Amino acid sequence: MNHRTALDPETLTPSARRILITAAALFYDNGIAAVGVDRIAADSGVTKRTLYNRFGSKETLVATYLLERDRRWRALVERRVHRSARATERLLAPFEALGEWTVQHPRGCAFVNALAELPDPAHPAHRVIIEEKQWLRALFEQAAEEAGAERPDLLAARLYFVHEGALTAQATAPDLDAVEIATDLAHLLVRTAV
Amino acid sequence: MNHRTALDPETLTPSARRILITAAALFYDNGIAAVGVDRIAADSGVTKRTLYNRFGSKETLVATYLLERDRRWRALVERRVHRSARATERLLAPFEALGEWTVQHPRGCAFVNALAELPDPAHPAHRVIIEEKQWLRALFEQAAEEAGAERPDLLAARLYFVHEGALTAQATAPDLDAVEIATDLAHLLVRTAV
DNA sequence: ACGAGGTTTTACAGGTCAGTATAGGAAGGA
DNA sequence: TCCTTCCTATACTGACCTGTAAAACCTCGT
């Protein structure tokens, strides 16, 4: 029952769902290595046996936690993307979504934070993290093309940096209104590039 | 001998210096919680007793590791700042320094990574991290004022985001030439704002 | 009625964690 | 000579770590 990849967060038993919700909060708030499986099981109101029956290993639980975060974030952004008629609006969708997102996630990017603790590329969470970042960059780049930017890859990279910087700044510079400043800057960059 | 703050990295005994160098590499490469004091002592060629005689606790060793990183980074940036006659050059100094820095530090920002593992504000490393970020923002803001920007605080925040984003992207998007793109973008922002 | 899947309970293995105890060796200045 | 500082060596504590063992209970679909 030792999994090498993340589980599908959609098809979990009720207990597994509770475990995942509990683990997500604990991992994000305290760091991954700092949280033991005993604590996760206890806080979920579940025995450790159940945790291992459902997830097989802590590695898999971590990967599933990040995959779940990824799904939620993508859904939030894509809802706004599909609502936007103009490509320039789609370029700004991740920044608009950031406003909702950071309210519940003030400790910076869960993926960046996790990567800091998981240097091993063989860890099943690794690919989840890398793919999340690739997805965001690809979204920027496609919208940049559709908006008619001269250098879509360059505009995408710029927006990506601003986005990541604002997300990180939530944790390191809480006195800034990072989302507002970043969104405003994104507008400027889009205007300049198209 | 239990310290509540970081030690001064300048005034260490030879063994303590070796410990700090070893610990810095291990912490940055593997994460802080993942590295035990036994390993640090063994890799430094030192007994655990010596480690505790010099640093008093792992907390203090971690804080001293980050303070040392902070000193080196500030020295690198300030050398370029003092070499720059124009304020617009000083605004770009951190981006120029990034080129040298990231060669040896490809896993993103050591302070952001550490903060991901250290949520407790009472941890002695916490203030080191926050002050490093405040210092960078203050440097941007002062140079922005001297350059005659209309909104120095806004320009500083923008450059800060781009800087943090590029540093993070080293770890999450290694295919990008993050330093070049960020430096180029910084030039653009400075031109736009002054 | 029966079986299967999900879960509970208690206990344990084997290892690693941060930190301490105790005792002594080596060098250098007063 | 004596004292202090730095360091070595070995062993230990008590807690916590991930993961497993074995047996039984509950619920639900068929």
Side-chain angles (χ1 to χ4, degrees), chain A residues 103-184:
Chain A
V103 174
Q104 289 172 315
H105 305 99
R107 290 197 73 241
C109 177
F111 304 95
V112 169
N113 289 358
L115 192 59
E117 295 194 71
L118 308 173
D120 179 11
H123 194 291
H126 213 268
R127 64 174 300 143
V128 178
I129 297 168
I130 300 302
E131 283 174 7
E132 197 273 341
K133 297 306 180 191
Q134 284 176 344
W135 168 83
L136 182 60
R137 277 177 55 204
L139 182 141
F140 277 135
E141 191 158 340
Q142 187 181 338
E145 281 173 18
E146 291 164 359
E150 296 172 34
R151 288 282 310 275
D153 58 332
L154 192 58
L155 177 57
R158 288 174 173 182
L159 292 173
Y160 178 63
F161 290 173
V162 174
H163 188 273
E164 294 295 290
L167 203 41
T168 297
Q170 285 285 332
T172 54
D175 59 304
L176 285 178
D177 191 339
V179 174
E180 191 193 333
I181 298 173
T183 306
D184 181 60

Side-chain angles (χ1 to χ4, degrees), chain A residues 1-189:
Chain A
M1 177 65 81
N2 238 3
H3 300 274
R4 265 167 211 83
T5 61
L7 272 52
D8 184 351
E10 307 288 331
T11 66
L12 297 177
T13 65
S15 289
R17 192 161 294 280
R18 286 209 324 274
I19 293 168
L20 190 57
I21 291 170
T22 305
L26 289 173
F27 285 152
Y28 183 70
D29 290 341
N30 301 98
I32 292 169
V35 179
V37 289
D38 290 274
R39 168 113 192 259
I40 296 169
D43 284 20
S44 318
V46 148
T47 61
K48 202 163 42 154
R49 199 75 192 86
T50 297
L51 190 154
Y52 276 94
N53 280 342
R54 291 304 114 219
F55 293 93
S57 68
K58 186 183 178 180
E59 269 194 354
T60 305
L61 177 56
V62 171
T64 308
Y65 145 60
L66 290 169
L67 186 57
E68 163 81 353
R69 271 282 209 284
D70 181 40
R71 295 254 176 107
R72 286 188 191 278
W73 168 244
R74 289 197 199 194
L76 189 68
V77 173
E78 276 170 351
R79 205 182 318 142
R80 290 178 182 270
V81 165
H82 293 135
R83 211 188 285 151
S84 307
R86 286 186 298 254
T88 52
E89 283 176 27
R90 294 198 287 277
L91 275 168
L92 299 166
F95 293 91
E96 308 283 351
L98 218 47
E100 275 183 55
W101 189 257
T102 53
V103 174
Q104 289 172 315
H105 305 99
R107 290 197 73 241
C109 177
F111 304 95
V112 169
N113 289 358
L115 192 59
E117 295 194 71
L118 308 173
D120 179 11
H123 194 291
H126 213 268
R127 64 174 300 143
V128 178
I129 297 168
I130 300 302
E131 283 174 7
E132 197 273 341
K133 297 306 180 191
Q134 284 176 344
W135 168 83
L136 182 60
R137 277 177 55 204
L139 182 141
F140 277 135
E141 191 158 340
Q142 187 181 338
E145 281 173 18
E146 291 164 359
E150 296 172 34
R151 288 282 310 275
D153 58 332
L154 192 58
L155 177 57
R158 288 174 173 182
L159 292 173
Y160 178 63
F161 290 173
V162 174
H163 188 273
E164 294 295 290
L167 203 41
T168 297
Q170 285 285 332
T172 54
D175 59 304
L176 285 178
D177 191 339
V179 174
E180 191 193 333
I181 298 173
T183 306
D184 181 60
L185 175 53
H187 273 93
L188 171 66
L189 294 180

Side-chain angles (χ1 to χ4, degrees), chain B residues 35-37 48-49 52 57-58:
Chain B
V35 178
V37 290
K48 202 161 47 155
R49 200 75 193 84
Y52 275 95
S57 69
K58 186 183 179 182

Side-chain angles (χ1 to χ4, degrees), chain B residues 31-55:
Chain B
I32 292 169
V35 178
V37 290
D38 291 271
R39 168 115 192 257
I40 296 169
D43 284 19
S44 318
V46 147
T47 60
K48 202 161 47 155
R49 200 75 193 84
T50 298
L51 190 155
Y52 275 95
N53 280 340
R54 291 304 111 216
F55 293 94

Side-chain angles (χ1 to χ4, degrees), chain B residues 160-175:
Chain B
Y160 177 63
F161 291 172
V162 174
H163 188 273
E164 295 295 290
L167 203 41
T168 296
Q170 285 285 332
T172 55
D175 59 303

